[in-house]
Amino acid sequence: MPTTICFINQKGGCGKSSSCFHLGGHFARSGRSVLLVDADPQGSLSQGFFGSAAIEGLPAGESLAAVFDDAPPLTTLVVSTPFPGLSMVRANAALGRHNCPEPETFGLKQFALAALLEEATGYDLVLIDCPPNLYQCSWNALLAADFVVVPVPPEDFATQGLRAIHQAVEHARHLNPRLALLGHLVIRADSRLLVHRSYEQHLRRLYGEAVLSTVIPEASAYKLALSTRTPVSFHSPSSRAARLVRDLGDELLRRAAPPAERRKIA
Amino acid sequence: MSTRQALDRLTANLEESMGVRGGGDARPVLAPVPAKRDAGRRPLRNVGRLTIDQVVPDPDQPRVEFSEDALERLALSIREKGQLSPIRVRWSDRLEKWLIISGERRWRAARRASLPDIECYFHEAELTPSEILEQQLIENLLREDLRPVEEARAFSSLMGINGWTGKEVADALRVHPSRVSRALALLRLPGPVQERVNAGEIPARAAYEISKLPDPAAQAALAERAAAEGLSHQDAARAVRQRRGKPKPPARMTRNAFTGPGAWKVVVTGPVKGGYPEIEQALLLALNEVRERIRTGRKPD
């Protein structure tokens, strides 16, 4: 079975989709079989690979929205990206209809994504990109995942959602006991800003080990790669940006490995 | 005031944003609170409805007969209470329909009850002919309402498809091997007798005893009697013993085996009961013969 990680934060613009986009690229380029699941009705991750026009016109039956309607087999929803080893389940606005508040009142709908991903046995990694709220899509992701990564830019609006996220993970564990917090990812950091350094310091002091040691800075390499619809590890493999994504991928796998295997990887 | 001074004075604000709360007790709910009834639940992804004419029986399926009466009763129940459990179906590219793996009776009853559609469990994975037959058999064997000769034919096809022995069929279906061998014995009976077994005129156990008779005419005659007189299993067994006559008592004879090196062994047999002096004599003669053959360079047979 694959390792399934969901990227979640209540706030928009935190770098959830970017993390999935570039990490997915890195893992695939390093020889792993990766499935990206776009669980955000905004469809940013999908548009990152396939362009806005194609995703806007995507029939609901071919997108993640279908799992809430008809429960088709996973294979009918997965498409290849132009990058070997990197596949994807796409989403667009059609998913919005299903992203309801109070997801806990929807019975079996809560487990639609978990049931879908039970069929994802052929992948090494599944990365789920969540919308910036804790409605049905994010809740489904929490119930389907093994691990949670919380991307958090070191500034006020981004950190405001943390308390709700921690509570959501804690609550989701009642329905998905294997769920674990892999860590907070300090992202979009600008080391020239004292405010950013200060927020990062506070985060590490408050949450200690639960903050990943890799920091992803705000860098034009990520944005440039994204505009060419190419993860940075394929776009400019020897750049510092690509190296940091690789460090991040290594750190996530190290933390996700069961204790016995941790030494082997390290 | 510098940024640093400002930030230092704002530590409390920073930490509040990051989740630190004073006061302790007050704990507003910020995230979904799951219901206890949802713990451990998962939807089955391949259950749904099909319009009833999208479903057809599997032409190769072991069940062939349905009692009109039972169908009518089931149809009545489905009309009143609905379909209680989904049938299992698989897609056939050849027929471009969904074939019934198990649940043909429910399907027939639902049609009889004029239901527009039927609840199905869709079997998505490819199944080998053996797997299909196994699933059908397991379902029917669990209910124990497959007719004896139908069951025997199904066992026999499983053996044919997989090159299995009766024991292997029993293992695969988790039934006792004697059930398989008794069933297979029925297939040795003449066709008309098999039909009477299926129709319930002759009990399957009695039919099994009858199959022990070597001659089909004798089998048919005894079957006739069994049907007319209602012979029990024991009656039939007794009649078979009488027909075949008493088995001959085993002949008195000598048979002694001696183990040699490795897997080699020497067996001495004789037509009458003998003692070790006779065995020693036979072995000595044989040893001499072997030595003679070695001397003349003859190859063993």
Side-chain angles (χ1 to χ4, degrees):
Chain A
M1 287 301 282
T3 300
T4 303
I5 306 175
C6 75
F7 291 76
I8 198 164
N9 195 330
Q10 279 222 93
K11 299 290 172 175
C14 287
K16 297 179 290 293
S17 305
S18 303
S19 302
C20 290
F21 186 81
H22 294 300
L23 268 174
H26 157 70
F27 285 133
R29 194 165 184 271
S30 65
R32 292 185 175 80
S33 169
V34 183
L35 178 66
L36 294 175
V37 178
D38 190 351
D40 183 353
Q42 292 176 67
S44 313
L45 184 59
S46 308
Q47 295 177 41
F49 284 101
F50 299 99
S52 301
I55 294 304
E56 281 159 11
L58 184 69
E62 296 171 29
S63 77
L64 188 66
V67 302
F68 293 104
D69 279 330
D70 190 32
L74 176 65
T75 46
T76 63
L77 297 182
V78 172
V79 291
S80 307
T81 69
F83 309 99
L86 191 58
S87 304
M88 183 163 193
V89 177
R90 297 161 298 174
N92 61 13
L95 185 58
R97 189 160 59 83
H98 302 286
N99 196 25
C100 308
E102 298 182 26
E104 72 276 18
T105 60
F106 282 78
L108 286 174
K109 277 233 153 107
Q110 300 170 82
F111 305 100
L113 184 54
L116 179 78
L117 293 182
E118 273 173 25
E119 293 166 22
T121 49
Y123 299 93
D124 299 316
L125 281 151
V126 177
L127 308 182
I128 311 173
D129 185 22
C130 297
N133 51 55
L134 291 175
Y135 299 163
Q136 189 66 274
C137 290
S138 300
W139 188 242
N140 255 270
L142 286 173
L143 301 191
D146 305 310
F147 297 105
V148 182
V149 170
V150 188
V152 47
E155 53 191 59
D156 210 81
F157 283 162
T159 54
Q160 281 170 7
L162 291 183
R163 201 175 158 78
I165 294 296
H166 296 157
Q167 212 178 78
V169 172
E170 187 189 315
H171 291 180
R173 284 169 56 85
H174 292 294
L175 301 184
N176 176 18
R178 67 174 194 282
L179 185 69
L181 181 68
L182 213 47
H184 302 79
L185 167 63
V186 177
I187 191 170
R188 308 196 63 174
D190 186 341
S191 59
R192 291 166 307 180
L193 297 183
L194 182 58
V195 178
H196 274 196
R197 296 202 302 273
S198 181
Y199 267 86
E200 184 187 335
Q201 226 171 46
H202 274 90
L203 264 177
R204 292 193 185 282
R205 193 166 57 72
L206 276 175
Y207 295 117
E209 272 295 287
V211 183
L212 297 165
S213 52
T214 313
V215 172
I216 299 295
E218 187 85 308
S220 71
Y222 297 120
K223 297 165 200 302
L224 185 62
L226 179 59
S227 21
T228 60
R229 298 179 187 166
T230 308
V232 73
S233 307
F234 286 96
H235 183 261
S236 38
S238 53
S239 64
R240 173 166 177 269
R243 191 172 38 100
L244 285 169
V245 171
R246 191 190 61 212
D247 291 348
L248 174 62
D250 291 347
E251 187 180 5
L252 292 180
L253 291 185
R254 207 162 48 235
R255 286 181 175 232
E261 280 177 37
R262 247 172 239 166
R263 248 168 295 132
K264 221 169 25 186
I265 293 170
Chain B
M1 188 164 51
S2 73
T3 310
R4 181 175 304 280
Q5 285 168 322
L7 282 169
D8 283 347
R9 291 174 52 181
L10 292 171
T11 293
N13 284 5
L14 263 63
E15 295 191 342
E16 187 186 336
S17 288
M18 291 178 196
V20 176
R21 298 287 182 274
D25 283 350
R27 219 190 153 209
V29 176
L30 306 169
V33 182
K36 281 226 162 55
R37 65 196 287 273
D38 287 331
R41 280 175 108 192
R42 285 287 182 283
L44 264 182
R45 303 196 65 250
N46 18 22
V47 177
R49 285 174 184 283
L50 272 175
T51 48
I52 205 149
D53 47 8
Q54 279 293 96
V55 184
V56 293
D58 186 340
D60 303 322
Q61 98 127 310
R63 167 177 299 285
V64 285
E65 292 170 47
F66 296 94
S67 127
E68 279 295 306
D69 216 33
L71 269 184
E72 193 51 52
R73 264 179 290 140
L74 190 55
L76 199 67
S77 147
I78 287 181
R79 207 177 290 127
E80 279 176 7
K81 307 229 161 63
Q83 182 190 347
L84 294 185
S85 61
I87 66 171
R88 294 175 77 83
V89 294
R90 69 190 168 92
W91 176 248
S92 162
D93 281 329
R94 188 166 59 85
L95 300 174
E96 300 195 314
K97 293 273 183 193
W98 289 90
L99 299 194
I100 300 171
I101 298 172
S102 59
E104 183 176 342
R105 224 161 40 153
R106 264 164 289 163
W107 171 76
R108 280 178 192 266
R111 265 202 330 185
R112 200 172 272 231
S114 318
L115 296 193
D117 46 28
I118 186 162
E119 288 169 19
C120 300
Y121 177 90
F122 301 102
H123 210 292
E124 302 283 358
E126 283 286 316
L127 289 173
T128 65
S130 170
E131 283 169 336
I132 293 166
L133 201 53
E134 267 179 62
Q135 285 205 6
Q136 290 166 341
L137 270 178
I138 289 166
E139 172 110 349
N140 287 326
L141 291 177
L142 287 176
R143 287 206 316 268
E144 302 223 343
D145 63 352
L146 201 63
R147 290 164 195 276
V149 177
E150 290 168 5
E151 178 181 296
R153 288 204 194 105
F155 288 154
S156 161
S157 352
L158 268 180
M159 292 167 73
I161 291 168
N162 296 310
W164 279 349
T165 63
K167 172 80 169 54
E168 285 168 314
V169 171
D171 287 347
L173 299 177
R174 309 280 188 276
V175 298
H176 199 275
S178 71
R179 176 161 175 186
V180 177
S181 52
R182 278 168 201 277
L184 291 173
L186 299 181
L187 299 180
R188 294 200 294 267
L189 293 168
V193 177
Q194 293 187 13
E195 275 166 34
R196 304 186 76 167
V197 177
N198 256 0
E201 294 172 33
I202 306 169
R205 296 287 297 272
Y208 164 67
E209 295 298 336
I210 295 170
S211 77
K212 290 178 181 169
L213 288 173
D215 170 27
Q219 290 177 342
L222 186 52
E224 189 62 44
R225 232 188 92 200
E229 300 171 23
L231 289 189
S232 73
H233 167 221
Q234 282 90 349
D235 296 337
R238 206 171 303 119
V240 167
R241 271 201 301 277
Q242 278 167 9
R243 286 279 185 121
R244 294 171 88 184
K246 288 236 155 63
K248 286 189 189 128
R252 283 164 53 83
M253 57 176 290
T254 302
R255 191 176 190 285
N256 266 270
F258 304 93
T259 49
W264 290 87
K265 69 178 181 183
V266 179
V267 180
V268 182
T269 61
V272 293
K273 190 86 184 157
Y276 282 111
E278 287 87 351
I279 292 174
E280 183 186 29
Q281 208 52 48
L283 284 170
L284 281 173
L285 275 171
L287 186 62
N288 282 337
E289 175 62 26
V290 170
R291 285 179 174 154
E292 177 65 19
R293 289 185 189 184
I294 292 171
R295 203 179 55 78
T296 57
R298 199 176 133 186
K299 292 248 153 36
D301 303 334

